Every structure is written in structure tokens, then in C-alpha cells.
């Protein structure tokens, strides 16, 4: 009877879920240096940590597997710096910008404990479609023009995340999640000289999951 009751209880667990997570976002930086004889050029951008939000919903399709749809947002301030020198001339600029990202993410989650467990760690991965936008806050330049206007682009990225659900009641759990999304970089092409590294978005998130 004990062996039969455990699967039966798990089958009665709510399968649909939704939730919201809040936390901190950190973007990866990039830098580039080019030297040719007497000429030299250097560029970089430095991102600041910012706020992040993840609203999601999904369904537990099996004891150890779930699918999840996410809307994600984060905001980060940026500082872009470029300079060059040559025997004939030289120049530099420093520009501050704000930036935001909106993403739609489709995830699959693999859990390491049963659906009715009190503590459920998981691994997740999925594809994201995200929109990046950045506006100029201010510039200081001499002999080199900084990027003008707004930077906008849409990309496809790969999201990987780990997390854990702590069950508070039959319908409510507390969730911690750490995620990384990697994609092509919309910031680096605006540098002089352009950078080459992909963009990585790291997020530490905390919040609650409600089962229906």
C-alpha cells in the first residue's frame, strides 16, 4: 500500500505553474586592441550591474521534466571608450549609455527529485528571442566620433540555467535561479575598433512559483 500511495500522491500534484522572479543582471564586457606599426587603437565597454525580472508559466509534463515559457527583462548602464594614436593625429571618446533587453524564452527543465518533493533542484536550457536597445546619456570626445543615436537589434540566444525550488505549501514554492544567456553582441560593433566577443547576460533571481 505504501508503494502504491507514493505514485498516486504525485499524480495528484498540481501540474500547471506560474511565477515571477526578481534580481540582478550582469552583462559581459568586451575589449579590442589593434596595432599596426606606429598606429594603435584601443576600445572597450564596461557594463554596470542592473535590475532583472522574469515572469514565467509552464507545465510539469512528467515527474522529472517540465516545459516553461518566460518573459525576461533587464536594464544595465554602459560606458563605451575608444581611442587611437598615430604620428599624424589621435583621438578618443567616452560615452555613457543606458540599455535594456526584453526576451521571450522557451525552456525545458530537468528536475532531480520527484514532483511531490519538498526540495527540487533542476537544470534548464532553451532558446530566447530578445530585443536590445540602448540610448546615449552623454559623451566626451576629441578627434573621434562616438556612436550616434539609439542602438537597436534583435537576436536569438541560448539560455542555460540552474535553480532550486523550496516547497512552502502544496501550491507555493520559493525559487532561486542563476541563468546565463549567450548571443551575438549588439554593443561591440559600435566600438572603434569593433569588438569580437559574444554577449553573455548573467542573472541571479529570487521569487515564487504558484501551482494550479
Amino acid at each position: 500500500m505504501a508503494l502504491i500511495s507514493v505514485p498516486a500522491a504525485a499524480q495528484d500534484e498540481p501540474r500547471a505553474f506560474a511565477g515571477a522572479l526578481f534580481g540582478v543582471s550582469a552583462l559581459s564586457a568586451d575589449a579590442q586592441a589593434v596595432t599596426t606599426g606606429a598606429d594603435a587603437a584601443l576600445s572597450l565597454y564596461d557594463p554596470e550591474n542592473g535590475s532583472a525580472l522574469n515572469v514565467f508559466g509552464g507545465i510539469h509534463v512528467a515527474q522529472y521534466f517540465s516545459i516553461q515559457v518566460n518573459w525576461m527583462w533587464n536594464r544595465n548602464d554602459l560606458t563605451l571608450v575608444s581611442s587611437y594614436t598615430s604620428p599624424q593625429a589621435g583621438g578618443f571618446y567616452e560615452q555613457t549609455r543606458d540599455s535594456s533587453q526584453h526576451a521571450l524564452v522557451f525552456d525545458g527543465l530537468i528536475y532531480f527529485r520527484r514532483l511531490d518533493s519538498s526540495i527540487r533542484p533542476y537544470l534548464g536550457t532553451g532558446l530566447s528571442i530578445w530585443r536590445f536597445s540602448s540610448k546615449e546619456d552623454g559623451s566626451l570626445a576629441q578627434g573621434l566620433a562616438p556612436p550616434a543615436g539609439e542602438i537597436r537589434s534583435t537576436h536569438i540566444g541560448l539560455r542555460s540555467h540552474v535553480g532550486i525550488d523550496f516547497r512552502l505549501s502544496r501550491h507555493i514554492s520559493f525559487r532561486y535561479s542563476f541563468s546565463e544567456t549567450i548571443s551575438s553582441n549588439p554593443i561591440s560593433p559600435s566600438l572603434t575598433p569593433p569588438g569580437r566577443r559574444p554577449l553573455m547576460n548573467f542573472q541571479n533571481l529570487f521569487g515564487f512559483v504558484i501551482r494550479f
Side-chain angles (χ1 to χ4, degrees):
M1 291 179 64
L3 293 175
I4 294 173
S5 63
V6 172
Q11 290 173 3
D12 291 338
E13 289 294 321
R15 296 283 176 156
F17 63 91
L21 307 177
F22 306 88
V24 178
S25 168
L27 302 182
S28 61
D30 196 5
Q32 181 69 291
V34 177
T35 57
T36 56
D39 301 332
L42 175 68
S43 66
L44 61 90
Y45 74 83
D46 179 30
E48 300 290 338
N49 290 346
S51 52
L53 169 65
N54 178 13
V55 179
F56 59 89
I59 186 169
H60 299 297
V61 297
Q63 286 292 327
Y64 300 96
F65 181 73
S66 302
I67 56 174
Q68 180 175 292
V69 179
N70 309 261
W71 173 80
M72 303 182 72
W73 168 88
N74 62 271
R75 182 187 182 281
N76 302 86
D77 292 331
L78 306 170
T79 301
L80 282 61
V81 177
S82 291
S83 65
Y84 81 97
T85 182
S86 69
Q88 295 78 25
F92 74 94
Y93 69 75
E94 179 179 282
Q95 184 180 76
T96 56
R97 286 179 165 266
D98 61 28
S99 72
S100 63
Q101 299 182 56
H102 298 263
L104 182 64
V105 187
F106 301 89
D107 283 327
L109 281 64
I110 298 176
Y111 286 87
F112 296 95
R113 301 192 69 184
R114 293 178 59 85
L115 186 59
D116 55 350
S117 300
S118 298
I119 300 176
R120 302 188 74 210
Y122 68 84
L123 291 174
T125 188
L127 292 177
S128 67
I129 303 172
W130 62 276
R131 179 71 170 171
F132 176 89
S133 63
S134 173
K135 294 182 179 179
E136 178 185 355
D137 283 338
S139 297
L140 178 64
Q142 179 66 46
L144 187 62
E150 188 173 5
I151 300 173
R152 285 183 175 271
S153 60
T154 302
H155 299 270
I156 295 177
L158 175 65
R159 182 188 184 220
S160 299
H161 54 116
V162 297
I164 187 167
D165 290 346
F166 297 93
R167 187 168 185 170
L168 304 179
S169 70
R170 187 170 186 266
H171 293 280
I172 300 176
S173 298
F174 174 81
R175 173 175 290 188
Y176 166 73
S177 172
F178 174 78
S179 72
E180 174 188 354
T181 303
I182 184 170
S183 67
S184 56
N185 198 321
I187 310 167
S188 292
S190 300
L191 300 173
T192 307
R196 298 178 180 177
R197 294 178 182 174
L199 179 66
M200 289 178 284
N201 185 351
F202 305 96
Q203 294 187 343
N204 273 293
L205 303 171
F206 304 84
F208 295 93
V209 184
I210 299 175
R211 294 187 189 180
F212 303 101

